[in-house]
Amino acid sequence: MVDTLIVGAGTAGCLLAARLSADPDHVVRLVEAGQVWGSADSIPREVLRADLMPIGPESPWVWRYRALLAAGGVVPDTVTELVRGRLLGGSGAINGGYFVRAPAGDFASWSEELRGDPSRGDWSFDSVLPAYRDIERDHDFGSAPGHGVTGPIPVRRATDPAPVAVEFTSAAAEAGFAEIADLNAVPGAPVGFGPVPCNVEAGSRIGTATAYLLPALARPNLSVSGGILVTRIRFHGTRAVGVDYRAGELSGTIEADRVVVCAGAVESAALLLRSGIGTPAQLRELGIPVISEAPTGAWFSDHPEIGVEYGLDIGPARPGVPLEYVLTLDDIEIRPYSIPFTPEPGIHRLGVALMRPHSSGVLRLRGADPQHPPVLEHRYLSEEYDRAALSAAVDLAGDVLARIPGARISSIPRGGADSAWLRANLGTSQHLSGTCRMGVDADERAVVDPRFRVRGVSGLSVVDLSVAPVPLSRGPQATVMMIAERAAGYLTS
């Protein structure tokens, strides 16, 4: 009999499986829809290489979703394709290696959302800092206060940045911005430019699959299976007792004392909805029996990102992580990407991202079968604050670019970027969070409680980025690991 069944071998699932199976009397089974490997040596090199993001059209290692970023009206809809990892390590196995912690202000907001719940635990920055510290082995600032030097995840910053990053940082300094040597410093500076901490070692991404799970695979109480698509959670009354799954042409059931869903913000929410945890009217319309009423998928956040292309002749790109430096301005992050986005020589991209947008999105099911991907509506630019903030940020980005000798900037309109221009250049950072939002009993948007337990049922938890109740001001990878570390403590207490 399985004590804990974990659905999804992504960033959170791999870490959680390793942590829970450290108790030899606790039987853990981890299942993943995508491919898994039994050792780091057997993982394809294109998955490990930090200078590659294997997410192209032929990639077998991703989920793909159509996302409506902004609704049309008098102009066409703004639509894009989201990709998420479908392999051992999840999205953390195919991303750019960005490893910046969420700042203290995010956790002040997180704690405020949970105010009034005596079972909430503590989600202040001081409370989550030990988990951040335990994760990392910071090769640059490990001895500094608030950092770790013995954790499984190596953290490094670029020592020989690409020419495009060098030119951008020189221009940012000329524009009056200070350099931040450590973007993970405690308490940290909200404005300035600095090198991006990355979980990279010897040119390879080091995520929770390679750093946590694979070293634990010899444990007799831990098993990991790939190619297992969980179709729904099974319940006895309102208690989760296992899952149904498909594996190719086969189907079956896995029984467990406890089910923990770690399938990511899209698939975790979709699985709960297919299992009957959602809005009753929507579930009945799809023929799904209602187990528990919950606002699953009714709120999510992501980082809208405006792409600004510019010309700069600085020679061919060389191997390196996609993003070596960023300029942060509280809730704006400006990203001088070191990798080309177009085949045309000398054309580079700057990303201008809003990290705490006021707009929020919605996830819905198309059908009860997992072959129907969910509907994703981001509803970007629906709030005046977001439009104004991004417009001002684009102007600032243009001012910095104009200070780079030889830079050719034709894409930014004179006199400010209006809504139509923002729409035409709108993208997303693909940092979707909050579909299974954490909250207190009185919070009508809450799906899980502050200890990750799904409300209205027992024996079921969700542990991944879907639980984040507020937009995060930095990219999510380090915070997902922190969430999993915190969850391991709750699930073993």
Side-chain angles (χ1 to χ4, degrees), residues 36-48 87-88 209-210 214:
V36 303
W37 297 274
S39 69
D41 291 341
S42 60
I43 299 175
R45 183 61 187 148
E46 58 266 39
V47 172
L48 292 174
L87 74 169
L88 187 72
T210 49
L214 294 183

Side-chain angles (χ1 to χ4, degrees), residues 1 39 81 88 93 110 152 167 176 188 232-233 270 301 327 329 384-385 401 436 440 473 487:
M1 180 66 174
S39 69
E81 180 181 71
L88 187 72
W110 192 316
E167 294 289 349
R232 73 180 181 101
I233 301 160
S301 183
L327 170 60
L329 300 96
E384 173 58 29
Y385 173 84
L401 286 177
C436 303
V440 300
S473 302

Side-chain angles (χ1 to χ4, degrees), residues 479-492:
T479 299
V480 175
M481 293 188 195
M482 179 277 294
I483 285 171
E485 281 282 358
R486 296 269 291 177
Y490 286 135
L491 292 172
T492 55

Side-chain angles (χ1 to χ4, degrees), residues 325-384:
Y325 272 79
V326 294
L327 170 60
T328 68
L329 300 96
D330 192 22
D331 69 343
I332 293 291
E333 189 169 83
I334 299 179
R335 306 164 177 165
Y337 290 108
S338 300
I339 59 172
F341 279 69
T342 70
E344 185 178 350
I347 300 300
H348 307 273
R349 174 167 294 192
L350 197 70
V352 182
L354 178 60
M355 308 305 283
R356 293 196 299 275
H358 289 193
S359 58
S360 60
V362 174
L363 177 151
R364 304 190 309 275
L365 286 188
R366 298 178 191 272
D369 194 292
Q371 71 178 349
H372 301 294
V375 175
L376 296 168
E377 296 181 7
H378 283 65
R379 301 180 179 177
Y380 283 159
L381 306 181
S382 60
E383 298 289 337
E384 173 58 29

Side-chain angles (χ1 to χ4, degrees), residues 170-408:
S170 296
E174 183 182 322
F177 294 102
E179 182 167 6
I180 304 171
D182 178 17
L183 290 170
N184 283 339
V186 178
V191 177
F193 65 91
V196 174
C198 294
N199 53 310
V200 172
E201 192 159 69
S204 295
R205 274 181 292 264
I206 306 296
T208 58
T210 49
Y212 282 84
L213 184 70
L214 294 183
L217 281 185
R219 296 171 182 168
N221 61 318
L222 172 62
S223 62
V224 181
S225 305
I228 304 292
L229 176 62
V230 173
T231 56
R232 73 180 181 101
I233 301 160
R234 295 183 66 88
F235 289 90
H236 181 72
T238 58
R239 178 168 183 80
V241 295
V243 301
D244 291 339
Y245 70 90
R246 294 177 190 165
E249 299 299 319
L250 303 176
S251 61
T253 298
I254 303 171
E255 297 180 346
D257 284 343
R258 176 173 63 196
V259 176
V260 182
V261 180
C262 301
V266 177
E267 289 298 322
S268 287
L271 178 55
L272 262 60
L273 289 167
R274 292 198 306 268
S275 305
I277 299 173
T279 303
Q282 294 181 10
L283 296 177
R284 293 188 181 108
E285 184 179 343
L286 297 172
I288 299 173
V290 178
I291 299 297
S292 179
E293 182 174 358
T296 309
W299 180 94
F300 72 71
S301 183
D302 203 336
H303 298 146
E305 182 170 342
I306 304 298
V308 176
E309 290 191 348
Y310 63 100
L312 185 64
D313 298 322
I314 52 175
R318 59 173 175 72
V321 295
L323 186 62
E324 296 175 319
Y325 272 79
V326 294
L327 170 60
T328 68
L329 300 96
D330 192 22
D331 69 343
I332 293 291
E333 189 169 83
I334 299 179
R335 306 164 177 165
Y337 290 108
S338 300
I339 59 172
F341 279 69
T342 70
E344 185 178 350
I347 300 300
H348 307 273
R349 174 167 294 192
L350 197 70
V352 182
L354 178 60
M355 308 305 283
R356 293 196 299 275
H358 289 193
S359 58
S360 60
V362 174
L363 177 151
R364 304 190 309 275
L365 286 188
R366 298 178 191 272
D369 194 292
Q371 71 178 349
H372 301 294
V375 175
L376 296 168
E377 296 181 7
H378 283 65
R379 301 180 179 177
Y380 283 159
L381 306 181
S382 60
E383 298 289 337
E384 173 58 29
Y385 173 84
D386 297 358
R387 297 191 296 272
L390 281 168
S391 180
V394 168
D395 285 348
L396 178 84
D399 177 66
V400 174
L401 286 177
R403 297 172 185 273
I404 298 177
R408 303 182 298 278

